[in-house]
Amino acid sequence: MGISGIDEYNRKIKRILITKEEIDEALDKAASQINALYDGRPVLLVSILKGAFVFMADICRRVTVPCEIGFMCAKSYYSGTVSAGAVKITMDLEQDVSCYHVVIIEDIVDTGRTLSDVVKLLKGRSPASLTVITLLDKPSRRVVDFTPDTALFTIPDCFVIGYGLDCGEYYRNLPYIAEYNEEGN
Ligand code: IMP
Ligand code: MG
């Protein structure tokens, strides 16, 4: 991405869209829904790397049903902020999902390609059940027909960073979600 220094890095953070407090509140609600839905039954939380690693870490610590965690790596991005189209699974899940209630933990549904492919793949392996929870949903950007079961926040069509989401691998560590400033060189 070629950031020249800390001033440019900071200028690229245009405005905070969702604060840490708003995220925490939504996490509490989402975890309560998982706990109520599975009602003591074991689940497998599956996070899509890298973007969902922070969301996974925070939600799994609020889940009170017995839970295992698993990771997949799906690459769909990009050059800068523009989607390249194809989705590639670069690291598969180690668990055999046929004996699990699977909960997919994703950072954002944008075009919908990644989750549409991942869901097809995992459903083909006959899990006991499968639910999709995404932190963010950008429905205006959809190019394939895909609707997550739960979205914590619906956002407008803008490129966002923070709380696991990156631009050029930076900003994943911000504790909030911010709009990325394409112009801030
Ligand atoms: P898809 O277009 O729905 O397949 O989204 C693929 C992936 O692109 C998401 O899982 C994110 O990792 C990434 N992505 C989509 N929109 C954004 C964004 O606004 N900021 C950072 N990453 C994004
Ligand atoms: Mg992702």
Side-chain angles (χ1 to χ4, degrees):
M1 151 186 214
I3 280 187
S4 60
I6 187 68
D7 292 340
E8 185 186 346
Y9 176 87
N10 286 332
R11 272 199 305 276
K12 297 274 188 190
I13 305 171
K14 192 170 185 178
R15 65 186 174 108
I16 296 180
L17 275 186
I18 307 170
T19 64
K20 182 182 179 306
E21 290 70 27
E22 288 168 329
I23 295 171
D24 283 343
E25 201 180 310
L27 285 167
D28 287 341
K29 266 193 215 150
S32 301
Q33 278 171 14
I34 294 175
N35 296 331
L37 181 66
Y38 295 98
D39 192 24
R41 283 173 296 166
V43 297
L44 172 64
L45 304 180
V46 176
S47 162
I48 316 295
L49 295 173
K50 297 179 195 170
F53 82 104
V54 179
F55 184 28
M56 171 66 135
D58 280 350
I59 197 113
C60 76
R61 284 176 291 171
R62 287 166 163 87
V63 164
T64 54
V65 294
C67 90
E68 284 183 48
I69 61 171
F71 296 96
M72 290 177 82
C73 195
K75 286 234 184 298
S76 58
Y77 262 52
Y78 297 13
S79 86
T81 60
V82 181
S83 170
V87 177
K88 199 171 158 202
I89 307 292
T90 55
M91 186 186 84
D92 204 346
L93 194 61
E94 67 179 15
Q95 289 91 348
D96 168 3
V97 297
S98 64
C99 32
Y100 288 100
H101 291 286
V102 173
V103 183
I104 296 182
I105 304 292
E106 176 60 311
D107 54 351
I108 187 165
V109 186
D110 182 36
T111 64
R113 288 190 190 109
T114 305
L115 275 189
S116 161
D117 282 12
V118 167
V119 164
K120 257 183 234 152
L121 181 75
L122 294 186
K123 278 194 172 160
R125 298 176 184 172
S126 309
S129 67
L130 190 147
T131 309
V132 174
I133 300 183
T134 183
L135 176 73
L136 305 173
D137 191 8
K138 269 197 253 181
S140 59
R141 292 253 316 157
R142 216 62 107 243
V143 301
V144 299
D145 182 21
F146 180 84
T147 309
D149 299 293
T150 304
L152 276 56
F153 301 95
T154 299
I155 60 168
D157 177 12
C158 64
F159 197 81
V160 292
I161 49 174
Y163 199 76
L165 292 113
D166 73 307
C167 186
E169 294 299 328
Y170 287 117
Y171 305 106
R172 294 191 194 275
N173 55 321
L174 298 177
Y176 48 78
I177 308 277
E179 183 177 348
Y180 180 73
N181 183 5
E182 311 256 6
E183 314 297 320
N185 295 314

